[in-house]
Amino acid sequence: MIRLAVIGCGHWGPNVIRNFQQSGRASVRFVCDKDGERLRHISRIYPGIRAGADYHEILGSPEVEAVYIATPASSHFEIAKEALRAGKHVLVEKPMTVSSQDADE
């Protein structure tokens, strides 16, 4: 079972969390979003998942093997790069980056 975190709980985030939880192949351990109301909403639906506003906590956690990035496209590159450097597997919503130069890097 893959232990993962979802960074971004806006429009697609709740669907992603539900799908991973129901897959039987993954366990969502953390969710992260800057919007406190979104985090409270997710915490009501999934009380066993830790919630926070700082994704750096997730990147430093040995409990998390992979991250799913569901943030605005302008933040994908930076978060993905940091997650990879932290040794996490990364899934990023499209577009992966907003520039081909960032994608090359």
Side-chain angles (χ1 to χ4, degrees), residues 32-96:
C32 179
D33 199 284
K34 290 181 179 180
D35 184 336
E37 185 54 40
R38 294 303 303 163
L39 289 177
R40 285 188 288 282
H41 173 72
I42 296 299
S43 292
R44 283 191 297 273
I45 298 170
Y46 301 103
I49 297 175
R50 289 179 54 190
D54 185 1
Y55 70 88
H56 293 98
E57 179 182 354
I58 290 166
L59 300 184
S61 173
E63 190 178 341
V64 173
E65 299 170 288
V67 297
Y68 186 99
I69 301 170
T71 59
S74 61
S75 65
H76 288 177
F77 172 69
E78 200 59 44
I79 296 171
K81 183 168 73 170
E82 288 182 59
L84 289 168
R85 286 188 175 153
K88 307 300 182 192
H89 298 282
V90 176
L91 298 161
V92 184
E93 284 189 356
K94 63 182 182 181
M96 179 177 70

